[in-house]
Amino acid sequence: MITWEEITDLQPIASRTIINSINKGRVSHAYLLQGERGTGKRDIALLLAKYLFCLHREGANPCHTCNNCKRIDSGNHPDLHWIEPDGQSIKIEQVRNLQKEFTYSGMESNQKVYVIQDADTLTVNAANRLLKFLEEPSKQTTAIMLTENGHSILSTIRSRCQIIELQPLPPDVMNQRLQDEGVHHLEANLLSALTNNTKEALSLHQDEWFAGARKIVVQLIEMYVQKPEDVYLFIHQQWIPHFKERTEQQMGLDLLLLGFQDILHQHIKEDTTTVLLPKEDAKMERAMMSFSKEQLLFILQLILTAKRKLKQNVQPTLVMEQLALQIQR
């Protein structure tokens, strides 16, 4: 079971902040944990919830063996509530139901905890409803909000939370972990650039869909170099059929971003390591001749904008069509 000591190895500032508040008896009524995928947001939320409910605490660490700890691990504790997006967003009905639940006494104590996953997906109405909930905190109610994009959350909500900023896991640490699991160092370079989560990286490594996604992204970049007039057709025949789900579409754009970053890095410093496109290859040479540094910087901004549009639920086919045409110009 994960401990604060293990969290400290990965997130020293965040863990020290929370441990200090625990030791001083000043656990906040609301936390906002913000950081990229795989930075440990869920682990920290679970560990904090366990501490609050644990029957046999050992300092800041829960015991992991009491009935409360075990039920939290299994997702069956009656006074710990998880709120996750219903479809693409967290809706006002979900917050209403949470508030209703919290009007009742705790099933086994007065302590209650709620965790809001992907808090940046709260609709405006849901966010305003949650704000009212946060404005009148109960001493024994703790809110823990998790997000990859904290700046998308209402400033009035942010101001009522203790913000814990989680840092990306250093790529070399992640890379070494993957190599220790038997992943080739070149593949480990790519996976550690995509995620900070070891389990997710190993899952991608064994996933045929991911292998196909990587191939399509490389082909698309080659298409821009050799047959830019066919890019639009390629998007409809290859890209859209393969990247169907929202998470897959985001992954496709992440890979595309890494591919163009590889080309830019070779422009700037030829001895730098690439993560998607092989550097010792005629294709890299052709790509470097096809795109100037200024064009590559512009393309990277376009891809980042496309990623934001997907987050905002813009129609995915439209996002890719626009991106394809913008890169061509």
Side-chain angles (χ1 to χ4, degrees):
M1 299 295 178
I2 197 162
T3 64
W4 286 117
E5 287 71 24
E6 292 173 274
I7 294 292
T8 299
D9 289 340
L10 303 177
Q11 299 291 346
I13 297 175
S15 63
R16 280 200 300 270
T17 299
I18 297 174
I19 290 170
N20 285 341
S21 66
I22 287 174
N23 291 337
K24 292 177 181 178
R26 296 178 183 172
V27 174
S28 176
H29 77 281
Y31 289 94
L32 176 60
L33 308 182
Q34 55 187 39
E36 297 175 11
R37 275 185 309 166
T39 48
K41 297 186 292 294
R42 190 178 180 90
D43 284 338
I44 292 174
L46 279 171
L47 198 52
L48 182 55
K50 277 187 177 181
Y51 167 81
L52 292 168
F53 287 111
C54 183
L55 301 173
H56 308 294
R57 301 169 181 165
E58 300 170 4
N61 275 314
C63 69
H64 298 293
T65 57
C66 72
N67 193 38
N68 282 349
C69 285
K70 288 180 178 178
R71 284 189 297 173
I72 288 173
D73 281 331
S74 64
N76 292 319
H77 197 289
D79 295 322
L80 173 59
H81 303 268
W82 285 83
I83 306 297
E84 298 185 356
D86 178 8
Q88 298 298 325
S89 62
I90 296 171
K91 299 173 174 59
I92 190 169
E93 291 80 7
Q94 293 174 272
V95 179
R96 278 201 194 104
N97 291 336
L98 178 69
Q99 288 178 292
K100 184 178 179 181
E101 182 68 32
F102 273 60
T103 60
Y104 305 126
S105 298
M107 294 287 287
E108 296 172 14
S109 72
N110 289 325
Q111 179 70 59
K112 288 200 172 196
V113 175
Y114 61 98
V115 182
I116 300 181
Q117 184 84 37
D118 298 326
D120 54 293
T121 67
L122 283 156
T123 65
V124 173
N125 288 336
N128 287 325
R129 186 89 184 192
L130 179 65
L131 178 59
K132 292 180 181 178
F133 199 28
L134 290 171
E135 285 174 340
E136 300 174 357
S138 161
K139 278 190 175 182
Q140 290 181 287
T141 296
T142 304
I144 308 172
M145 286 177 273
L146 317 180
T147 180
E148 293 179 30
N149 185 13
H151 297 293
S152 295
I153 293 173
L154 288 178
S155 59
T156 45
I157 289 180
R158 289 173 58 85
S159 68
R160 285 161 176 78
C161 298
Q162 181 172 358
I163 298 174
I164 306 293
E165 192 81 46
L166 303 182
Q167 301 303 313
L169 190 66
D172 56 336
V173 174
M174 182 67 176
N175 195 312
Q176 188 57 55
R177 284 186 177 185
L178 293 175
Q179 290 188 56
D180 291 344
E181 293 286 342
V183 179
H184 188 276
H185 75 277
L186 293 177
E187 182 76 3
N189 285 342
L190 173 60
L191 294 170
S192 59
L194 286 170
T195 178
N196 278 223
N197 188 302
T198 306
K199 288 182 181 178
E200 182 182 10
L202 292 173
S203 177
L204 289 174
H205 177 59
Q206 298 168 350
D207 190 349
E208 290 184 12
W209 177 90
F210 178 72
R214 180 178 183 176
K215 181 179 178 181
I216 287 171
V217 171
V218 172
Q219 288 174 337
L220 177 57
I221 295 172
E222 291 173 0
M223 191 78 69
Y224 275 114
V225 173
Q226 296 178 307
K227 296 181 179 180
E229 68 278 4
D230 292 338
V231 163
Y232 192 83
L233 186 62
F234 181 86
I235 290 294
H236 279 274
Q237 291 184 340
Q238 299 291 330
W239 184 287
I240 292 172
H242 191 77
F243 300 96
K244 297 175 182 177
E245 303 297 327
R246 188 77 55 167
T247 54
E248 294 174 350
Q249 293 150 4
Q250 287 284 357
M251 177 64 73
L253 290 178
D254 286 340
L255 287 166
L256 192 62
L257 190 71
L258 291 174
F260 279 108
Q261 281 179 345
D262 279 348
I263 303 169
L264 178 61
H265 291 161
Q266 289 304 295
H267 261 296
I268 297 170
K269 190 177 181 183
E270 291 187 2
D271 62 351
T272 192
T273 302
T274 59
V275 295
L276 182 70
L277 303 177
K279 58 186 296 186
E280 307 296 338
D281 195 301
K283 295 174 185 176
M284 175 63 81
E285 188 68 30
R286 287 196 297 268
M288 290 173 64
M289 294 180 67
S290 299
F291 298 102
S292 67
K293 285 184 282 188
E294 291 73 18
Q295 286 175 312
L296 290 165
L297 288 170
F298 179 64
I299 289 169
L300 294 179
Q301 285 300 319
L302 290 175
I303 298 172
L304 290 172
T305 299
K307 281 171 59 66
R308 283 195 295 272
K309 287 179 179 178
L310 279 183
K311 274 274 192 182
Q312 295 162 358
N313 295 326
V314 179
Q315 212 283 331
T317 299
L318 178 61
V319 171
M320 281 310 301
E321 287 175 344
Q322 288 179 336
L323 179 61
L325 294 174
Q326 288 170 329
I327 293 176
Q328 273 184 303
R329 293 172 186 169

